Amino acid sequence: MNSKIEQLLAEVEKFTADTEQKIEEFRIAMLGKKGALTQLFDDFKTVSVEQKKELGQKLNVLKNKAQDKIKELKDRLGESNKGLVLDVDKTLPGVRNGVGTRHPLSMVKNEIVQIFNRLGYVTAEGPEIEDDWHVFSALNFAPDHPARDMQDTFFINSDSDNPILLRTHTSSVQVRVMEKQQPPIRVVCPGRVFRNEDISARAHCIFHQVEGLYIDENVSFADMKQTLLYFTREMFGENVEIRLRPSYFPFTEPSAEMDVSCTICGGKGCNICKHTGWLEIMGCGMVHPNVLEACNIDSKKYSGFAFGMGVERIACLKYNIPDLRMLLEGDMRFLRQF
Ligand code: PHE
């Protein structure tokens, strides 16, 4: 038995293998159910008491050596496999991360804001969750004005006498500016607004606006007209014309709706302008004295004008987009064109 142990020790010592299969075969031959070592342990039961101590120790050494060898060979195999995984072809071109671009709505919003910034207007922003005062009451909406109605406004909490709601226009930001600052005031207010409207090619319940406000001594309707003409030509080109039509807003008097000559047909008449030659782009007017007074501005001393436009609408006209929902769907095939 002793010589058998010596022989197996030598075998274990010199054994080497470089595949999983060969290592496994070795393990079975040594330590498997019918393996050489297992056999020896069986035989060990029959040896005499005097020999047990010495042979037992030797057997254990052999078993440990065999187990260590298997582990060592497996580890080595693992190491070299790891090397294989890392062994990539470094001469192949890498995978590029695409560079993102601005969303067309952001581009158009920035362009509008920048045109007014060049005229000395500063940008002002305010909360999307507003109260009734800043969205309606301070802007001269009568208590029963239909625009406050559930049909237009998303109310968050209408329990109190100053309900909390999602702003329906960024005129609320103009109120916040007037409350804090005395004239001269020149601000543009870009932002997201919310109205309870059916979604269609021309309308959405969430959209973006840029509104503007200019208040100083002796500001006239003519100032407004010239400012808006300048804006329109910067935005749509030197050859466009503007037209003001009488309109109504509670917070301006007089009020107007501004059209631009159709950017598609140049005013001759086409499908886009419904053969009128004109496209409506914004509301405007002289700030109502009640609004100035509600914000503690002396309406005898100061006057001003305000205007507001939808960014989606301007974007659709500028890029000839037939359906404003395309701007909100996040389809890369569409967005990559800008
Ligand atoms: N606040 C108006 C709207 O959301 C737009 C507007 C602003 C009209 C300022 C006149 C003056 O429709």
Side-chain angles (χ1 to χ4, degrees):
M1 188 164 190
N2 207 359
S3 62
K4 182 78 185 161
I5 293 175
E6 297 293 341
Q7 183 205 329
L8 285 177
L9 256 179
E11 253 177 59
V12 169
E13 212 77 60
K14 74 167 196 286
F15 177 76
T16 179
D18 55 6
T19 68
E20 195 125 4
Q21 197 190 341
K22 282 187 191 154
I23 299 171
E24 182 61 8
E25 279 167 10
F26 175 74
R27 190 191 65 79
I28 292 168
M30 286 292 171
L31 301 159
K33 262 194 184 140
K34 291 178 183 149
L37 250 159
T38 318
Q39 206 77 52
L40 278 179
F41 273 101
D42 271 348
D43 299 347
F44 177 71
K45 289 174 193 150
T46 62
V47 299
S48 63
V49 187
E50 303 88 66
Q51 282 186 299
K52 268 221 157 107
K53 192 173 174 203
E54 193 201 336
L55 282 178
Q57 272 173 359
K58 283 195 172 173
L59 263 179
N60 277 329
V61 170
L62 174 61
K63 188 181 169 194
N64 288 339
K65 287 220 162 146
Q67 281 172 341
D68 288 351
K69 184 67 152 208
I70 290 165
K71 184 168 185 306
E72 181 199 320
L73 289 174
K74 276 194 176 165
D75 285 352
R76 201 188 299 162
L77 199 64
E79 283 298 313
S80 56
N81 276 349
K82 235 188 260 166
L84 270 183
V85 175
L86 286 177
D87 194 15
V88 291
D89 184 349
K90 294 182 181 117
T91 64
L92 287 173
V95 181
R96 258 174 213 281
N97 286 331
V99 177
T101 55
R102 277 192 215 289
H103 193 279
L105 280 180
S106 300
M107 286 161 48
V108 170
K109 180 204 76 185
N110 289 346
E111 203 176 332
I112 299 169
V113 166
Q114 280 160 11
I115 292 170
F116 285 103
N117 288 164
R118 291 204 288 278
L119 289 172
Y121 288 69
V122 295
T123 307
E125 282 177 311
E128 292 176 354
I129 300 173
E130 263 291 6
D131 56 18
D132 180 277
W133 169 257
H134 290 95
V135 176
F136 297 129
S137 296
L139 288 162
N140 199 36
F141 281 80
D144 56 355
H145 193 281
R148 297 171 183 240
D149 202 298
M150 278 294 189
Q151 282 153 23
D152 296 302
T153 308
F154 291 112
F155 283 91
I156 290 172
N157 176 357
S158 45
D159 294 343
S160 74
D161 34 328
N162 188 19
I164 305 298
L165 43 87
L166 296 180
R167 66 181 179 194
T168 57
H169 51 188
T170 59
S171 305
S172 53
V173 183
Q174 303 177 3
V175 173
R176 286 183 179 275
V177 170
M178 286 189 281
E179 282 173 338
K180 275 214 296 272
Q181 187 191 329
Q182 283 295 308
I185 293 172
R186 254 182 263 151
V187 286
V188 263
C189 312
R192 192 155 50 160
V193 299
F194 308 84
R195 287 182 199 176
N196 193 359
E197 269 178 55
D198 288 340
I199 297 168
S200 72
R202 291 169 56 93
H204 207 285
C205 57
I206 302 174
F207 59 101
H208 299 79
Q209 280 190 325
V210 177
E211 295 215 353
L213 176 72
Y214 180 21
I215 301 173
D216 205 344
E217 289 178 41
N218 303 316
V219 177
S220 72
F221 199 89
D223 294 328
M224 179 180 86
K225 198 174 160 191
Q226 196 56 35
T227 302
L228 296 182
L229 177 64
Y230 172 82
F231 162 76
T232 310
R233 292 198 166 154
E234 287 290 292
M235 194 71 201
F236 293 104
E238 276 306 307
N239 299 322
V240 298
E241 296 295 338
I242 62 166
R243 172 174 91 167
L244 291 166
R245 282 177 294 109
S247 184
Y248 174 78
F249 299 102
F251 37 91
T252 47
E253 181 59 37
S255 305
E257 212 76 64
M258 193 182 91
D259 300 341
V260 293
S261 52
C262 180
T263 48
I264 305 298
C265 64
K268 290 190 200 72
C270 68
N271 278 337
I272 301 292
C273 61
K274 300 202 190 86
H275 301 282
T276 62
W278 296 97
L279 300 161
E280 184 189 316
I281 66 162
M282 70 170 100
C284 56
M286 303 306 291
V287 179
H288 198 293
N290 289 356
V291 175
L292 296 176
E293 295 299 335
C295 301
N296 297 319
I297 290 173
D298 185 351
S299 64
K300 301 254 165 6
K301 187 168 175 203
Y302 295 109
S303 58
F305 61 80
F307 52 87
M309 66 195 100
V311 180
E312 280 80 356
R313 175 137 180 87
I314 305 272
C316 286
L317 295 178
K318 195 172 165 74
Y319 294 116
N320 199 9
I321 301 166
D323 186 331
L324 68 77
R325 286 171 290 195
M326 295 169 113
L327 288 162
L328 305 159
E329 281 164 354
D331 186 332
M332 291 307 288
R333 293 167 302 179
F334 172 76
L335 294 175
R336 276 206 194 95
Q337 299 176 76
F338 297 92

